[in-house]
Structures are given as C-alpha cells and as structure tokens.
Amino acid sequence: MVAILSLMVVMGFMMLGEWVSTRSRAYVPSVFITALLFLVGFWTIVPKNIVPAASFGTAFIQITQAVLLVHMGTLMDLKLLLKQWRAVVIALSGVVGTVVLTMGIGRLLFDWHTIVASVPPLTGGLVAAFLMTAGLKAQHITALVAFPVAMFVMHSMLGYPLTAWMLKRESRRLLQARHVDVTVATADSATSATVQTTAQLPVCPLPTVPAKVKSVQPQLRHWQLPAAYDTSAFMLFKVAAVTGLAEWTAQLAHGTVNQYIICLVFGVIAHQLGFLEDAVLEKAGVFHWLMYGLLAYIFANLNIVKISMLSGILIPIVTLIVLGVLGMWIASSLLARPLGFSREMAFASALTALFGFPADYIVTHEVTEIMGSTAEEKQYLLDQMLPKMLVGGFATVSVASVIIASIFLKIL
C-alpha cells in the first residue's frame, strides 16, 4: 500500500507540472512546478523517502542512466548533423561562451565548488544535472547536491520563454522574406507570360515550400526480425546488450573515458549500423517511465533543502544563469552572420543547451502553430527552424554536456 501511495504522489506532482505547462503554453516549465511541489511537500507532509518508496531507487537509477544515454544515441542522425553543421557550431559556441563567462566572472563572485557544481546543468539540462548530482553524492559533497537540481529547475524558467520569443521573431522574419519572394516570383511570372503570349508558353509555377527535412534512416537491417517477433522485449534486450558492451568497454578503459560518453557513442554506432531503431525506448514503450523515474530521483535531492538554505542557493544560481545566458548570446551573435544565421535563430540554437530534446521539439512546434496562419506557412517554418533546433540540442545536451560534466567531476 505504501509503494502505491508513494507512486501516486510522485506521478501526481509530475502530472500537475505538465498540466500547468500545457495551460501556460510552455511559458511556465513543468519541471519548475514539479520541483516546487516536491520542495513544499518535503517541508510539510511528504516523507523524504517517497521516491525510493515509489520504486525509483538506486538499482532503478543504475539501469536508467546508462540505457537512456544509449537511447539518446539513437536520436542522432550523423548525416543530419553533418548537413546542419552550422547549427552545431553555433550551439557548441554558446556552450563555450557559457563556460567562459561563468568560470571567469563567476569565479570572482563565488567559491570554486559552487561554480563547478552548478555550471554543467546550465550547459546540458537534465543529463548533466543527474551526472553532477550522482558525482557529488559519490564524493560525499552533500552540501552541494542541491545546486545541480536548483540550476536545472531555475534555468528553465528563463530558457523556455526566451527561446520561444527568439523563435517568434525568427518566424516573423522568415514569413516576411517568404512573402516578398512569392510577390517577386508572381510579378516575374506575369511578365514572362505577357512577353511569351504569342508562343503560348505555360506560366512558370510559383516556388513551392521546401520539402520537409527528413532524417536518413539507417539502411543496414539484416538482424531485424519479422514484425511479429520485433517485440518490446526484443528491443529492450538489444538496448541492454549494447549498454552492457559499453559498460564493459568502460571498465577496460579504467575510467580514462567516462562510461556515459561510451554509452552514448555505442548508442550512435548501434543506431547507424541498424541494430537499434530510431528512438528505440519510445518504440519499446518504456521511455516516459524511465524519464519520470530519473526526474523523480533528481527531485528527491530537494529533501535536504531547508528554507534557510534558499537564500544561499538562489543568489549564486540566478547570477550564474544570467552570466551563462549572456555568454550564449555573445558567442552565438558573433558567429551568426559569418555562418548565415540571423541573430535570433543563432541564439535560439544556443539556448537548446538549457533543455534539449524533447523540449526543443515541443517549443518549436508550439511557435509554428501560433505564427503560421496556414498549413503551408506552418510547415515552412518547421522546415526552416526545427532541424537547427534539434541538432543544436543533440550536440549540446547529448554530447557536450556529458563531456563537460565528466570533466567537472574530476576538478571538484
């Protein structure tokens, strides 16, 4: 009975966070509401062990962290990344700008451990927050465990609305440019038709909306079974096999390369070879369960936060967020024009480091639904913005944040 009630409370907090986010059109992040509910709950009547009581304990997390990174590898299409290399460069430059400004100016304002514990989640959202939290616990630096969680929760309050605003400005620019092009094309077509009337030549059609960018699917599927046998259990077996091979390789490396980086790399390789499907854990039907468990585990660390600690946490967290976002803006603005981006699109691509997938996908879709007045305009905006947002998020959250977190854990 205790386990069921604990699960109900944990999922209830997640549910309320999602409802508020949906109602506010993602301007109020779900993670902020959920974290606030956990925090108030721990201060009042919610038991501090409610998350492990709901089945999200140590064994669950040891499995979850590795298989989710393998799964993230199946979201990455190398050909799409190469095609959108400019977005990757800008997104990574934003990460560099964040690290430089927070480690530079921030070091003058706060102590070394506070900065090291807080900065990685600013460059990689959930993944980096979890890695830093687990690392701090492993090194018994319990006083700083709340900082990665607080950073993960607080930066989304600025990241989501700021990204949506940048994408709205970019949408207006794209639509204005498209309308000008269509007007010019119409005038040119009419002039051409008038001149060539005697020859009765057909009028050239207007330029069509660019075809939707599609990920190139892996071609090697020799080990795929018939559909009747390609079950969720088979998918999970393959993920477990790849994860086990990755962790065995990490053990052979004796910690030279972080095990989570190896899990990510093995996920990419298995996906490109066709051994793992696109978004394999989603197709297996377990992705959301694992993500909810990981989120709950991270929020469980709020049980050590007392009201008296908030002032000591909020001031450095808010200051570092402002410095980090400013670093993203400076770096992305410098590279925008040389790489053929508008400043708005460049900044939005850099901001994906704050949340990554699926938030970048959701925010982009919500903006296009608001800004596009026809189905053609909405599709046009998606084609122009979504690939840049997705590859930016993959490059920062899936790759750079794991590397940065592993490095920062060694310099604590």
Side-chain angles (χ1 to χ4, degrees), residues 275-317:
F275 184 65
L276 294 180
E277 296 87 341
D278 297 330
V280 60
L281 293 181
E282 292 184 41
K283 291 184 178 179
V286 300
F287 173 74
H288 290 96
W289 176 252
L290 295 176
M291 285 298 294
Y292 285 137
L294 184 57
L295 279 170
Y297 179 81
I298 290 176
F299 291 141
N301 291 287
L302 293 173
N303 64 10
I304 66 171
V305 178
K306 298 179 173 60
I307 297 178
S308 58
M309 294 172 57
L310 283 182
S311 59
I313 291 177
L314 289 180
I315 293 175
I317 290 297

Side-chain angles (χ1 to χ4, degrees), residues 345-364:
M345 191 68 247
F347 191 26
S349 298
L351 285 169
T352 57
L354 298 180
F355 38 80
F357 184 86
D360 49 9
Y361 178 89
I362 294 170
V363 171
T364 307

Side-chain angles (χ1 to χ4, degrees), residues 85-101 123 324-336 339 346-347 349-351 353 392 395-396 400:
W85 66 269
R86 293 177 180 85
V88 173
V89 171
I90 288 176
L92 293 179
S93 73
V95 171
V96 173
T98 295
V99 173
V100 170
L101 223 59
T123 65
V325 172
L326 181 60
M328 289 181 185
W329 179 77
I330 293 173
S332 61
S333 296
L334 291 175
L335 290 179
L339 293 180
F347 191 26
S349 298
L351 285 169
T396 53

